[in-house]
Amino acid sequence: MDAPTSPVGIELDELGKFFALYAERRSRGDDRVMPMFSARVDAAWHHLATDPADLALFCHRFAGTPIGHAPVKGAGRVDWVDEYTDRFGALPAVWFADASGKIDAEILSRYERTGTVVTNWDCSPVPSGGEGDDEVATPTRTAAARRS
């Protein structure tokens, strides 16, 4: 696996949007799994989690509440993409990148053609302090590794 590089603005911006959508879902009583399918954005989450105070401030800024990180494996259509598109526009390419920043052109192309994301994932946000809250600063597998 390529070593993740430190996150830059876009990864953190996208993580903030993801947290905002998660908090909105929770406020509506929607507790469905909200898969984090981007290894690159997830790497930014793990990097941020190396400093719990920074993570807490980030969560408060974008979601108004602490957010935990839990291992949740799955595959299929990523249902929150429609909510994202309605609020923020099209997903940027960073969502289709592995931890090192390499774009999965196949999944990105399918998204650009159909507006849907169908892929695998291995984690999800959870209410902080909840069951399975790992908040560990370890990188996730690349998108290619998740598909194998």
Side-chain angles (χ1 to χ4, degrees), residues 5-14 40 44 47 94:
T5 56
S6 294
V8 294
I10 190 164
E11 289 92 343
L12 293 175
D13 289 345
E14 292 306 308
R40 182 69 181 170
H47 180 80
V94 69

Side-chain angles (χ1 to χ4, degrees), residues 20-52:
L21 291 175
Y22 173 74
E24 288 170 11
R25 277 187 164 196
R26 299 275 310 161
S27 72
R28 294 190 310 262
D30 184 344
D31 61 357
R32 289 177 291 166
V33 168
M34 193 168 155
M36 167 53 75
F37 71 89
S38 171
R40 182 69 181 170
V41 177
D42 190 48
W45 189 353
H46 285 272
H47 180 80
L48 191 60
T50 62
D51 185 329

Side-chain angles (χ1 to χ4, degrees), residues 42-68:
D42 190 48
W45 189 353
H46 285 272
H47 180 80
L48 191 60
T50 62
D51 185 329
D54 282 351
L55 178 61
L57 288 171
F58 187 88
C59 290
H60 180 73
R61 176 177 173 211
F62 288 97
T65 187
I67 295 176

Side-chain angles (χ1 to χ4, degrees), residues 42-131:
D42 190 48
W45 189 353
H46 285 272
H47 180 80
L48 191 60
T50 62
D51 185 329
D54 282 351
L55 178 61
L57 288 171
F58 187 88
C59 290
H60 180 73
R61 176 177 173 211
F62 288 97
T65 187
I67 295 176
H69 182 279
V72 177
K73 292 189 181 293
R77 182 178 180 276
V78 179
D79 69 345
W80 59 263
V81 171
D82 294 336
E83 295 167 56
Y84 180 103
T85 303
D86 289 346
R87 181 150 177 213
F88 305 112
L91 289 169
V94 69
W95 278 101
F96 304 91
D98 68 13
S100 70
K102 183 179 181 211
I103 303 295
D104 184 322
E106 180 183 335
I107 296 173
L108 174 58
S109 177
R110 185 180 319 128
Y111 166 68
E112 290 172 341
R113 286 190 322 273
T114 66
T116 60
V117 175
V118 178
T119 191
N120 300 322
W121 56 85
D122 59 11
C123 63
S124 175
V126 293
S128 185
E131 185 77 22

